[in-house]
Amino acid sequence: MDSPLPPAEELVLIDRELAQLDARRLYLLARRDWLLRLLNQPAPPAPPRWAPTGTAEPAKEASAPSAQNVLLTLGAVLLAVAALAFTLVSWGSMGIAGRSAVLAAVTAGALGAPLLLLRRGLRSTAEAVAAVGLLLTVLDAYALYAVGMPDTDGTGYAAGAAAVLAAAWAGYGRALSARPLRIPLPAAVLAAQLPLPLAALAAEGGPLELGWALLATAGLDAALALRVRAAALPAAVLGAGALLCGAAQSWSAASAAQALAPAALLLAAAALGTAAAWREPRASGAALAGAVAAVVALGGVARPHLEPGWAVVVHLLVAVPLLAAVRVRALPGAVRTGLTRAGALVAALAALWAVSAAAAALLVPLRVLDQVWAATTPASGPPRPGAAAAALTLLVTAGAAWWLSRALARPEPGVVAVVLAWSGLFTAPVLLGFPVAAVFTAQLAVTGAAGFLALRSPARAAATAGIVCALAGAAHVSGGALDGRAATFAVWGLLGAACAAAAAYGRAPLWARSLAAVCAVGYATGVLVAVGAVTELAVVWWALPVLAVPALVAALGPLLGGVRLPAEIAAGVAGVSAVGLSAGRAGTLALVLALAGVICAGAAVRPDRRVLGWASGALFVAATWVRLAEAGVAAPEAYTLPVTVPALAVGLLRRRADRGGPGPDGGAPAVVSSWTAYGPGLAVTLLPSLLAAWGDPDWRRPLLLGTAALAVTLTGAHRRLQAPLLLGGATLAAVALHELAPYVVQVAGALPRWVPPALAGVLLLVVGATYERRLRDARRLRDAIGRLG
């Protein structure tokens, strides 16, 4: 008789198999009756409804079992309504003997009928009649109270009646053990939930007495749940009610002595939950609730004599040892899981409270941004209520999370530990009311330590969390340092040096080093801007010290290794910032552009940075034209033509030389492109002249420029050269648009307003209708331009 399944699960399986056997038996009996009629009749009858036929029958809206259940349910409901009406309305018109005889007869009949119905295989009917019989027993109990004991306390009588009914229903269900019904035992379990709580209410007990009654009933349910799984739900509900009663009384206790009684209730609940999880592998939730109850009980005794913050710390210190259960292999799995989760839950709630206090402290320095270098930020002030408790809570939860990460070998608790530890150490000086200098010193130390440990940590997740915390701390301290000049230089200088050291640390991940290099360039730029601000010069002159950053990065380029590209991009942003700072004065802007061109030219000397030569040329040209615009030059051709003519001559000689000699490998010569040969020379004149023509109201300059652009375009088309063709054509189109713009405006003003949308719609329809052809034409044009030199 040994079985690997628990008794409760095996009982459920047996009940399910018996139900299937009953259904199969009913089907075979119906088939047997049909076969007997078939043998006794001379002509074959029609096949039964379940047999397949040649014609498809209409689909039934309800199956036979479901229709049967509906009918039986309606019948039971009608009988219950009739019984209620008899009890409430017709009861008083009969004598005591008649009443007793009627109720006894009806109840006995309703409870005895299921035995006969089960023997005939009418199980559903038996269930319905049994439900009516159970309801009649409730009416019997009410009638007995109304007639025989009207002066008895109603709540106390209800408690006793519920106990008697629960026992009677359980016995009735056991009496039908050969062919058990589904209703009596669950009804008995439901009725058994009422006696003890009702008795506590009848005795006028307080919340604690009610909690003990609920806990005792939950204990009985838990014991019964080992055999009947349906009792697990009421056990959980009543156990939760007992916990709420105990927790409410513990939190409202005014002294430790008053908290002892609720603590006893909570500890009893903890013992019950642990015992349930010890016996049932799937009851880890019971162990969790029990462990939380124990934490509330022990912490509640100390709570009346502590401030709210320190009460949180006490609860946390009681809960943290529960995490050690994860290493105790002697405990069952459900108990170990429940205790560990309970410790983690209490620690998470404590951490949320502490993080809310820390977040409020982090918002203090943001008001500095309203007035930079105003030195108006006050000291941290006196310690805030619960400040030390909040800081200690963060550190304790961080240590617990780190230990749990090592115990479970999972990265998630490690990330939580890093964030909580940084939050506690970073905000502790503010929470404790340290002076401003001490706050900056401590926060800089915490930020540097977080970044250093993150770079050396082998755990990728924890290292990433540490770097994010270090960046957040650096941003926070940098914003706070703007309150004073000395603080700005000291904090930004230290952070920039630390970022530079992190970028040079070869063992750190490349992405972390690149991020540190970008931050180092940013802090260096900020310090140099601060230097310009200290000198009290005009803002346009702040750009000159800022240019030292891209110059230094360009000089150190080969030594930067893998972080070279991010550092150069950040240096380029610093250079653009310098140009923006100098934009207020043309002379300074020209100087800055020229210096930036020198920096790009110096970097372009290296073979892997040749592309910066184009940027250098553009910057030099821009500096020249800014200077000429400042000098009031109205005829740029006087300065551009002397450059264009020799540049075009050099390009022509270069292309002829390439056509005349062999290539580098002795094969066909590699002719330089027209953009390299003629592009710079043409652009030097066409672009400045075009800008001047757009601002010139006279007709001579646009005419001359359009004629020159037409000549360049025709030459490019004749010689099949891209640069002259595109540059000349674009210039010619821009000149034509400039000349036609006034007339287009006049025509547009004279036309009705509906004409332009209509023309646009027609154009779109035409293009859409011939989309494939236009696309082929565009591809041919692209290929044709690509074939040009």
Side-chain angles (χ1 to χ4, degrees), residues 715-781:
T715 303
H718 177 70
R719 297 291 184 181
R720 301 180 62 82
L721 299 175
Q722 281 188 11
L725 178 63
L726 296 181
L727 288 176
T731 304
L732 183 60
V735 172
L737 180 61
H738 173 266
E739 295 302 314
L740 292 177
Y743 303 102
V744 172
V745 171
Q746 292 178 2
V747 172
L751 291 176
R753 294 187 177 182
W754 59 268
V755 173
L759 294 177
V762 172
L763 178 62
L764 291 177
L765 289 176
V766 172
V767 173
T770 60
Y771 176 75
E772 295 294 337
R773 183 179 301 174
R774 301 287 81 77
L775 188 61
R776 288 195 298 269
D777 294 341
R779 289 173 179 170
R780 293 193 190 99
L781 178 61

Side-chain angles (χ1 to χ4, degrees), residues 534-629:
V534 168
T535 59
E536 298 183 357
L537 296 174
V539 176
V540 294
W541 294 107
W542 296 3
L544 296 180
V546 172
L547 286 177
V549 175
L552 181 61
V553 172
L556 299 177
L559 302 178
L560 297 178
V563 301
R564 180 181 180 182
L565 182 59
E568 289 178 343
I569 294 175
V573 174
V576 173
S577 301
V579 174
L581 289 173
S582 63
R585 184 178 297 173
T588 309
L589 176 60
L591 177 60
V592 171
L593 290 173
L595 292 176
V598 171
I599 295 172
C600 291
V605 173
R606 299 188 177 95
D608 55 346
R609 292 295 184 267
R610 297 296 192 197
V611 68
L612 293 178
W614 293 95
S616 174
L619 290 171
F620 282 135
V621 172
T624 302
W625 284 110
V626 169
R627 179 65 67 181
L628 293 176

Side-chain angles (χ1 to χ4, degrees), residues 16-428:
R16 190 178 301 141
E17 292 292 337
L18 289 175
Q20 294 178 356
L21 289 176
D22 289 342
R24 182 64 177 171
R25 183 173 180 273
L26 292 175
Y27 167 76
L28 293 177
L29 288 174
R31 183 72 176 176
R32 180 176 179 274
D33 293 340
W34 180 78
L35 291 175
L36 289 175
R37 291 196 304 269
L38 180 65
L39 293 175
N40 294 330
Q41 293 179 2
R49 298 181 64 182
W50 59 79
T53 58
T55 60
E57 296 183 358
K60 302 180 181 64
E61 295 184 358
S63 62
S66 62
Q68 179 188 18
N69 293 334
V70 171
L71 293 176
L72 292 175
T73 302
L74 289 176
V77 170
L78 291 177
L79 287 176
V81 171
L84 288 173
F86 168 76
T87 304
L88 298 175
V89 178
S90 302
W91 181 259
S93 62
M94 301 178 65
I96 297 177
R99 301 170 188 173
S100 302
V102 170
L103 279 177
V106 174
T107 304
L111 294 178
L115 294 174
L116 301 176
L117 294 173
L118 288 174
R119 291 176 182 176
R120 298 183 61 85
L122 303 177
R123 182 180 183 85
S124 300
T125 308
E127 295 279 0
V129 176
V132 175
L134 297 181
L135 177 61
L136 289 175
T137 59
V138 178
L139 297 178
D140 290 340
Y142 170 74
L144 180 61
Y145 170 75
V147 176
M149 296 179 289
D151 298 331
T152 307
D153 179 58
T155 305
Y157 179 81
V164 173
L165 289 177
W169 292 351
Y172 178 69
R174 286 296 181 183
L176 301 176
S177 59
R179 295 179 180 180
L181 296 175
R182 297 186 179 92
I183 292 180
L185 288 180
V189 172
L190 183 61
Q193 312 306 311
L194 302 177
L196 292 180
L198 290 177
L201 295 176
E204 297 182 356
L208 282 179
E209 287 75 12
L210 179 60
W212 280 108
L214 293 175
L215 184 62
T217 307
L220 296 176
D221 291 335
L224 183 61
L226 298 176
R227 298 177 60 86
V228 181
R229 293 186 60 184
L233 179 60
V237 173
L238 295 184
L243 290 179
L244 291 177
C245 292
Q249 292 300 305
S250 177
W251 289 334
S252 62
S255 63
Q258 294 181 4
L260 290 177
L265 174 61
L266 292 172
L267 291 176
L272 175 61
T274 305
W278 202 289
R279 293 292 303 273
E280 176 56 50
R282 292 168 295 184
S284 61
L288 186 152
V292 172
V295 171
V296 174
L298 298 178
V301 175
R303 183 201 57 79
H305 305 289
L306 299 173
E307 295 180 356
W310 289 108
V312 174
V313 174
V314 170
H315 284 79
L316 177 62
L317 294 178
V318 175
V320 165
L322 296 175
L323 298 176
V326 73
R327 288 286 187 90
V328 183
R329 299 301 177 185
L331 295 175
V335 177
R336 186 167 61 247
T337 302
L339 295 181
T340 305
R341 290 178 178 176
L345 176 62
V346 176
L349 294 176
L352 286 177
W353 168 79
V355 166
S356 63
L362 290 176
L363 298 178
V364 173
L366 295 182
R367 53 188 170 183
V368 175
L369 301 179
D370 295 336
Q371 293 181 346
V372 178
W373 287 1
T376 57
T377 302
S380 300
R384 302 186 181 186
L392 182 60
T393 299
L394 289 173
L395 297 179
V396 172
T397 52
W402 184 257
W403 183 90
L404 192 61
S405 174
R406 301 294 297 273
L408 298 178
R410 294 185 62 86
E412 295 85 358
V415 173
V416 175
V418 171
V419 174
L420 292 178
W422 173 81
S423 301
L425 295 174
F426 193 83
T427 58

Side-chain angles (χ1 to χ4, degrees), residues 376-700:
T376 57
T377 302
S380 300
R384 302 186 181 186
L392 182 60
T393 299
L394 289 173
L395 297 179
V396 172
T397 52
W402 184 257
W403 183 90
L404 192 61
S405 174
R406 301 294 297 273
L408 298 178
R410 294 185 62 86
E412 295 85 358
V415 173
V416 175
V418 171
V419 174
L420 292 178
W422 173 81
S423 301
L425 295 174
F426 193 83
T427 58
V430 181
L431 293 174
L432 297 177
F434 286 6
V436 176
V439 170
F440 279 139
T441 302
Q443 290 182 342
L444 281 174
V446 172
T447 301
F452 177 73
L453 294 177
L455 293 178
R456 292 181 60 88
S457 176
R460 182 181 296 273
T464 304
I467 291 175
V468 172
C469 290
L471 290 175
H476 183 272
V477 177
S478 300
L482 290 174
D483 185 56
R485 299 184 179 185
T488 300
F489 284 105
V491 172
W492 288 19
L494 288 175
L495 290 175
C499 292
Y505 186 67
R507 297 183 181 180
L510 181 59
W511 68 270
R513 294 172 54 210
S514 301
L515 186 60
V518 172
C519 292
V521 173
Y523 277 115
T525 304
V527 169
L528 292 175
V529 170
V531 169
V534 168
T535 59
E536 298 183 357
L537 296 174
V539 176
V540 294
W541 294 107
W542 296 3
L544 296 180
V546 172
L547 286 177
V549 175
L552 181 61
V553 172
L556 299 177
L559 302 178
L560 297 178
V563 301
R564 180 181 180 182
L565 182 59
E568 289 178 343
I569 294 175
V573 174
V576 173
S577 301
V579 174
L581 289 173
S582 63
R585 184 178 297 173
T588 309
L589 176 60
L591 177 60
V592 171
L593 290 173
L595 292 176
V598 171
I599 295 172
C600 291
V605 173
R606 299 188 177 95
D608 55 346
R609 292 295 184 267
R610 297 296 192 197
V611 68
L612 293 178
W614 293 95
S616 174
L619 290 171
F620 282 135
V621 172
T624 302
W625 284 110
V626 169
R627 179 65 67 181
L628 293 176
E630 182 188 19
V633 174
E637 293 81 5
Y639 299 91
T640 58
L641 288 177
V643 178
T644 298
V645 173
L648 294 178
V650 171
L652 179 62
L653 294 176
R654 172 64 186 275
R655 286 180 61 87
R656 287 183 176 179
D658 290 341
R659 291 194 188 95
D665 55 354
V671 181
V672 70
S673 68
S674 62
W675 288 102
T676 303
Y678 306 123
L682 293 174
V684 166
T685 294
L686 293 179
L687 295 181
S689 299
L690 180 61
L691 294 177
W694 271 81
D696 191 352
D698 195 7
W699 58 273
R700 296 182 180 84

